[in-house]
Amino acid sequence: EVQLVESGGGLVQFGGSLRLSCAASGFTFSTSAMNWVRLAPGKGLEWLSAISGIRGTTYHADSVKGRFTISRDNSKNTLYLQMNSLTAEDTAVYYCAKPGPDGDWGPQYFQHWGQGTLVTVSS
Amino acid sequence: DIVMTQSPDSLAVSLGERATINCKSSQSVLYSSNNKNYLAWYQQKPGQPPKLLIYWASTRESGVPDRFSGSGSGTDFTLTISSLQAEDVAVYYCQHYHSTPIAFGQGTRLEIK
């Protein structure tokens, strides 16, 4: 059974940094692309970042490019999101998500989701 | 970048009636090489992660009730719930995965009338 468990959320001050983690199990993590998606209060789902499986190629939404960095440690089956220069607009629940098909970079529809971790940025 | 626009923003339907949610992409999400539409639908209830309902525009995810169906091609897509149940109250999102950046629609809130 695929399991994704996010951690690392919390309260951070404006301009601060935070690193989120997503511990994965139940599938071959190293060969699967992974993504981060967030849900801000009163808003809709927003795709943030993706990283391919073996090659580790990264993709970021324009809204976070230059501030957020996605990475992975295949030896620890863990996905990360380093978030810098945080503002109130980054307050959200952050989800890691796994696409349906395994593979370095396949169709990115998200079959599996974690429960999310809440990030609150205070001014 | 492909922008996804859903309509309506909110919808109230009587139990047992049909609910229809529309999704329009700013560019075609159909790949001619494999004739597949790179379009998915999700259901999200409060306090829960999103749940995949439909992918490839019309393929129902395993375990999803058959009252949920997806249709459309190119730039215009529809999610239909044939007979609304109380447990279908949620926010529904479409998503394209044709290219990066991946994008979701703004969401449609579905309620019981």
Side-chain angles (χ1 to χ4, degrees), chain A residues 95 108-111 113-114, chain B residues 42 44 49-50 55 61 93 95:
Chain A
Y95 299 100
Q108 300 296 300
Y109 58 85
F110 305 130
Q111 192 174 47
W113 297 73
Chain B
Y42 299 85
Q44 187 171 30
Y55 56 97
E61 169 70 337
Y93 297 93
Q95 174 226 343

Side-chain angles (χ1 to χ4, degrees), chain B residues 8-26:
Chain B
D9 290 335
S10 63
L11 181 63
V13 174
S14 300
L15 289 173
E17 295 300 307
R18 178 185 299 260
T20 301
I21 298 170
N22 300 301
C23 174
K24 190 174 185 68
S25 58
S26 61

